């Protein structure tokens, strides 16, 4: 066990190769862990089989290795963790926190008010399946209380789940466990103390904190980094055709990442070795310099 008990992680979804946006999350979480003398783990969030691209999980690991990321312990694959999610779901079911829902996406779109993550579930099946509806997904009953947490970068965040998100899915109609449940179970199992990830996930955090509470799991500290956007103001992502980062010649992208994270890297780093780059980046990591914003136009776009 290294360091002072800090455990960080990077948890990419293998829907394609890494792009500059994913490199920012990898670099921010890695530097925060290493600068704190902590462990850093790699988890492949490959539960969503329809979104997974064959070969992408291996490709991501090859790219991370080529960029000099050095993870601790074996890589965790969510696709191999089904028994743990099943157990968590049973615990929630037994305590009466989960109910079967027979609504289709279309019905929810038609009846739900708009929320930060899409239409808010209107509560149709909360008190029992209406006649004629067959169970599809399993949903978690939310509460009208406001959930608050202090993000290390974005400050105080509040969300009232019932109003802003609604009773959310923990097991989908296609029997796949939902991201919120899997991430909470895995972060606790991996002993993660600090989640450093893109701010695009900040609206998911209160639901995850609520699940941690219901499952009796600890809540990690959170730091949500700004996300890179393209010229059109959209987050860099595979859907928006962000180009993959090449495995060769990693230094220009790594230095660019430090520029994005406002760490003020000396340009001589471009002439040095990967080892020198990481040594400098770890020694000089200063979360106090991070831009306190949600979006930054990508310098390479
Ligand atoms: N797998 C998620 C993604 O790639 C990130 C999970 C997380 O960091 O909580 O968007």
């Amino acid at each position: 066990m290294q360091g002072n008990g800090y455990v960080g992680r990077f948890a990419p979804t293998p829907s394609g190769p890494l792009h500059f946006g994913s490199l920012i999350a990898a670099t921010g979480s890695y530097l925060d862990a290493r600068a704190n003398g902590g462990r850093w783990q790699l988890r492949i969030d490959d539960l969503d089989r329809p979104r997974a691209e064959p070969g992408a999980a291996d490709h991501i690991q090859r790219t991370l290795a080529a960029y000099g990321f050095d993870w601790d312990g074996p890589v965790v694959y969510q696709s191999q963790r089904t028994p743990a999610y099943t157990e968590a779901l049973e615990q929630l079911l037994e305590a009466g926190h989960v109910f079967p829902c027979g609504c289709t996406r279309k019905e929810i779109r038609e009846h739900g008010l708009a929320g930060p993550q899409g239409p808010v579930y209107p509560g149709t099946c909360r008190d029992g399946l209406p006649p004629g509806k067959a169970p599809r997904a399993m949903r978690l009953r939310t509460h009208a209380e406001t959930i608050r947490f202090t993000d290390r970068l974005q400050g105080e965040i509040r969300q009232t789940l019932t109003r802003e998100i609604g009773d959310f899915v923990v097991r989908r109609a296609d029997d796949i466990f939902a991201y919120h449940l899997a991430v909470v179970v895995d972060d606790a199992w991996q002993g993660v103390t600090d989640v450093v990830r893109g701010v695009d996930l900040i609206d998911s955090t209160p639901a995850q904190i609520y699940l941690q509470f219901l499952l009796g799991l600890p809540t990690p500290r959170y730091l949500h980094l700004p996300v890179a956007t393209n010229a059109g103001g959209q987050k860099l992502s595979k859907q928006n055709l962000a180009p993959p980062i090449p495995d060769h010649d990693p230094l220009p992208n790594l230095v660019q990442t430090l520029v994005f994270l406002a760490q003020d890297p000396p340009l001589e780093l471009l002439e040095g070795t990967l080892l020198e780059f990481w040594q400098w980046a770890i020694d000089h990591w200063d979360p106090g310099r991070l831009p306190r914003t949600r979006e930054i136009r990508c310098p390479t776009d």
Side-chain angles (χ1 to χ4, degrees), residues 94-286:
E94 266 167 38
H97 297 306
V98 165
F99 63 90
C101 168
C103 298
T104 60
R105 274 171 198 249
K106 184 164 173 277
E107 287 168 329
I108 295 170
R109 248 196 335 266
E110 282 168 5
H111 301 292
L113 299 172
Q117 293 195 325
V120 175
Y121 179 67
T124 320
C125 306
R126 213 172 199 235
D127 301 316
L129 283 169
K133 269 197 190 294
R136 290 166 51 83
M138 299 298 282
R139 284 184 186 273
L140 189 99
R141 203 182 298 279
T142 54
H143 266 275
E145 262 166 59
T146 301
I147 302 215
R148 288 186 175 78
F149 73 99
T150 304
D151 186 84
R152 286 172 55 202
L153 181 60
Q154 309 290 341
E156 199 191 56
I157 305 292
R158 301 158 179 234
Q159 200 180 62
T160 306
L161 290 176
T162 307
R163 183 164 46 82
E164 296 178 64
I165 303 290
D167 299 339
F168 57 87
V169 170
V170 284
R171 202 183 63 207
R172 301 176 357 182
D174 57 7
D175 275 349
I176 294 178
F177 285 99
Y179 159 67
H180 287 319
L181 183 74
V183 77
V184 159
V185 169
D186 286 341
D187 281 344
W189 179 68
Q190 294 182 277
V192 170
T193 60
D194 288 79
V195 171
V196 178
R197 60 185 178 190
V199 78
D200 51 315
L201 291 166
I202 204 164
D203 289 330
S204 297
T205 307
Q208 294 172 10
I209 291 175
Y210 187 52
L211 265 175
Q212 287 153 359
F213 166 73
L214 294 181
L215 290 166
L217 301 173
T219 293
R221 285 180 290 259
Y222 288 98
L223 190 166
H224 286 88
L225 298 167
V227 292
T229 55
N230 61 21
Q234 299 158 312
K235 179 199 153 200
L236 296 191
S237 67
K238 194 190 155 206
Q239 291 89 319
N240 295 326
L241 307 177
I245 50 170
D247 287 359
H248 60 87
D249 199 21
L251 282 173
N253 270 323
L254 285 170
V255 171
Q256 199 61 257
T257 305
L258 289 192
V259 171
F260 182 94
L261 295 170
Q263 300 298 300
D264 203 12
L267 293 183
E268 296 85 77
L269 289 178
L270 287 167
E271 314 301 328
T273 63
L274 261 184
L275 211 64
E276 285 163 346
F277 169 85
W278 284 115
Q279 201 56 59
W280 187 93
I282 293 167
D283 288 349
H284 294 84
W285 174 246
D286 180 2

